[in-house]
Amino acid sequence: ESLWSHPHSMLVDQFALAQKMMNLEHLNSCLYTLRHGGATHDILTRRRTVLEVKQRGRWGSDTSLKRYIKLARLQTELAKVPIELRQFGMNILADLPSILSKVIKTPAPPSGIAKSPNGCSRKQKLPRPL
């Protein structure tokens, strides 16, 4: 089963539209640049360890991961983004859980899951994947 119900082309179009709306077309970014930028950002900000980045990106070796981590390139690209837009992005990131909770209605848990007195769901044994 597919994770997304929309075609890949729709995501590409929305990504391009977002760049246009923020006047960032001059960066010539595509979705694949997020793979490089995400790995680099996670290392630069110490959000994840090198091992965690390697596992997240499914890189098989340190050598292949190192090809993706471009700290100087990230700094160069960030300098092309107006400071006001970078601040806007940081504000959105900080408020993202709140923003998404207003946009996406959280579904109710399955009826078979009861709440324990302390408010936590009881642990249930999950079936093994095939």
Side-chain angles (χ1 to χ4, degrees):
E1 185 177 331
S2 178
L3 180 62
W4 305 106
S5 59
H6 303 292
H8 180 260
S9 59
M10 184 178 183
L11 179 59
V12 170
D13 293 344
Q14 291 297 310
F15 187 77
L17 179 62
Q19 287 182 90
K20 186 174 183 173
M21 290 173 63
M22 293 182 284
N23 294 319
L24 294 175
E25 298 108 314
H26 63 280
L27 296 178
N28 296 316
S29 295
C30 65
L31 290 173
Y32 190 69
T33 60
L34 299 177
R35 183 165 169 81
H36 288 269
T40 303
H41 181 267
D42 283 355
I43 296 296
L44 186 65
T45 60
R46 296 189 175 121
R47 181 181 177 110
R48 292 182 175 84
T49 66
V50 172
L51 178 60
E52 289 169 331
V53 170
K54 183 178 168 184
Q55 291 171 337
R56 186 170 190 248
R58 291 176 273 143
W59 284 287
S61 69
D62 291 343
T63 304
S64 60
L65 171 61
K66 286 177 185 174
R67 276 186 246 137
Y68 281 85
I69 298 175
K70 308 286 185 195
L71 299 177
R73 174 74 188 260
L74 178 64
Q75 295 295 343
T76 301
E77 294 300 305
L78 275 175
K80 297 176 185 176
V81 179
I83 189 71
E84 300 84 9
L85 188 54
R86 282 188 270 160
Q87 186 60 53
F88 174 75
M90 291 189 308
N91 291 341
I92 292 292
L93 188 57
D95 293 338
L96 196 56
S98 174
I99 293 167
L100 290 177
S101 70
K102 294 172 186 162
V103 174
I104 302 170
K105 185 177 178 185
T106 306
S111 60
I113 298 177
K115 294 282 184 180
S116 65
N118 66 3
C120 297
S121 297
R122 282 187 284 171
K123 291 183 179 178
Q124 293 184 349
K125 194 169 189 175
L126 298 174
R128 293 185 141 206
L130 300 176

